[in-house]
Amino acid sequence: MSSTAPRHTALDALHRSLGATMTDFAGWDMPLRYGSERDEHLAVRTRAGLFDLSHMGEITVTGPEAAEFLNFALVGDLAAVGVGRARYTMICAEDGGILDDLIVYRLAEAEYMIVSNASNAQNVLNELGNLAEEFDVEVRDDRDAYALIAVQGPESPGILAAVTDADLDGLKYYAGLPGTVAGVPALIARTGYTGEDGFELFVKPEHAVELWQALTKAGEGVGLVPCGLSCRDTLRLEAGMPLYGHELSLSLTPFDAGLGRVVKFEKEGDFVGRAALAEAAALAERQPPRVLVGLVAEGRRVPRAGYAVVSGGEVIGEVTSGAPSPTLGKPIAMAYVDAAHAAPGTPGVGVDIRGSHEPYEVVALPFYKRQK
């Protein structure tokens, strides 16, 4: 892929016609916002929002040894995932560092679709391609085969139900089923990155515009709005969801990130990084690593990634993500802090914002949890 001109999704012209502010994100020209990011954020929390996520990386793995291969390549037990279900997992390096966090859908007995972050898609594809040589599988780059549209928020089931006869009531969280949406064949997944109920729709790029327009029309009466990457970030931050390059990186293992639960040592056979991850797990038990916590500002100054977290004049951690929270009405942050300062309500914690130690309250994640 060329590193010069950004790539465009199938909805590019439509975003521009809606007056979107565009930005380069992981080599793609993507909508940052259409109007007010705060209004877009609150629409998703209270009504519904429509997102273009076509920059995400889709990789299909097929073949008689697909389940065994993914159990070797990834840290999760993908063989145990039923057809039509999805699993959050990670691909790690031999030393246990996180290469990417992924959602894997099992589409058929011998067919899986892996969805990676846009910034890591090529690396994940290369790694899977290298590892596949020992297995009877095909690893296919399907990034150009799909557009991905998400409808998220409390009104999303009703909006989607208006344009599909698929059994949405029977579709559980982290499941997917093939269906027809607005006359277009789609994989309908009940997944998302906002902390709300919602759906992600994988369709052919040539169907993206008509699907977007049909969903827009179906959502007119209930306050659906188009949403950009900016509010996607504040929504996932409030929901305590990690973002690669911020809360997750090659220098952290899943145990460092507090996500050791995704590593399934009990599955059959070896897997990439097993020995290093077993060591990381044992170390985390003996000597807890820094803990990912929430921080809520007492003042108005917004913390940013990389800012030091301080207590008693000592640096005790680092902010990984920070932004104003439209839901809480205050600046919030996620940060890795020393275990001794990780308990909610720990006194005397602040963030160093350009030399000034601003007071912050330590809270448990997530900041926001929807009412079921």
Side-chain angles (χ1 to χ4, degrees):
M1 287 195 313
S2 158
S3 60
T4 48
R7 299 181 67 179
H8 297 277
T9 77
L11 293 160
D12 185 74
L14 191 147
H15 298 315
R16 291 168 196 280
S17 75
L18 292 170
T21 299
M22 306 297 285
T23 188
D24 182 346
F25 182 81
W28 290 81
D29 216 9
M30 297 296 294
L32 188 63
R33 70 182 75 80
Y34 297 84
S36 151
E37 53 209 42
R38 183 177 179 278
D39 290 350
E40 291 170 26
H41 178 111
L42 293 172
V44 175
R45 285 277 177 259
T46 58
R47 303 185 306 277
L50 196 57
F51 296 82
D52 178 9
L53 305 179
S54 304
H55 61 309
M56 302 293 280
E58 293 88 9
I59 300 162
T60 304
V61 174
T62 56
E65 293 186 316
E68 294 89 333
F69 166 62
L70 289 178
N71 266 17
F72 174 71
L74 310 180
V75 300
D77 187 354
L78 284 307
V81 177
V83 173
R85 297 308 303 265
R87 185 68 46 88
Y88 176 79
T89 187
M90 294 180 184
I91 180 167
C92 288
E94 201 59 70
D95 68 358
I98 303 166
L99 283 165
D100 201 12
D101 63 332
L102 312 164
I103 293 181
V104 181
Y105 298 88
R106 190 170 196 170
L107 303 181
E109 195 58 38
E111 182 181 5
Y112 293 80
M113 182 172 70
I114 298 165
V115 181
S116 71
N117 286 293
S119 56
N120 294 327
Q122 192 62 48
N123 291 342
V124 173
L125 186 66
N126 294 346
E127 184 73 5
L128 291 174
N130 293 337
L131 296 171
E133 289 170 9
E134 302 296 312
F135 293 84
D136 186 3
V137 292
E138 182 198 347
V139 175
R140 192 171 71 233
D141 179 1
D142 271 347
R143 282 175 289 180
D144 293 335
Y146 292 105
L148 176 56
I149 294 173
V151 55
Q152 298 277 304
E155 297 287 354
S156 58
I159 293 167
L160 192 55
V163 291
T164 184
D165 55 6
D167 177 19
L168 300 182
D169 289 340
L171 186 63
K172 296 184 173 75
Y173 187 51
Y174 266 72
L177 84 167
T180 303
V181 182
V184 169
L187 171 68
I188 305 166
R190 199 166 206 153
T191 44
Y193 195 53
T194 61
E196 298 299 336
D197 190 11
F199 303 87
E200 296 183 318
L201 308 169
F202 296 84
V203 297
K204 288 182 175 171
E206 57 266 32
H207 294 147
V209 171
E210 60 184 295
L211 178 58
W212 180 283
Q213 289 171 336
L215 289 165
T216 299
K217 195 168 185 332
E220 270 173 2
V222 291
L224 173 79
V225 301
C227 292
L229 291 178
S230 189
C231 84
R232 181 172 155 84
D233 192 48
T234 52
L235 288 160
R236 70 94 196 166
L237 176 56
E238 287 184 351
M241 294 175 166
L243 176 63
Y244 196 90
H246 289 256
E247 289 71 41
L248 308 174
S249 73
L250 202 47
S251 63
L252 296 172
T253 72
F255 295 93
D256 295 324
L259 291 166
R261 65 180 180 276
V262 304
V263 182
K264 303 300 182 190
F265 291 115
E266 67 276 15
K267 65 181 174 177
E268 277 184 39
D270 196 16
F271 61 91
V272 176
R274 180 192 266 274
L277 289 166
E279 258 179 56
L283 182 65
E285 284 209 358
R286 289 199 309 274
Q287 178 190 333
R290 282 186 163 177
V291 179
L292 189 65
V293 300
L295 298 174
V296 178
E298 292 180 20
R300 310 303 307 167
R301 298 185 72 185
V302 179
R304 299 296 180 193
Y307 285 11
V309 182
V310 292
S311 179
E314 299 289 314
V315 174
I316 58 155
E318 186 177 303
V319 171
T320 53
S321 298
S325 164
T327 305
L328 275 64
K330 298 174 178 179
I332 59 171
M334 286 201 276
Y336 281 112
V337 302
D338 295 343
H341 299 271
T346 299
V349 172
V351 175
D352 186 339
I353 301 183
R354 297 188 192 89
S356 168
H357 290 188
E358 300 288 328
Y360 273 74
E361 182 190 356
V362 179
V363 300
L365 291 169
F367 300 97
Y368 166 86
K369 206 165 193 174
R370 72 182 169 97
Q371 303 302 307
K372 297 285 190 229

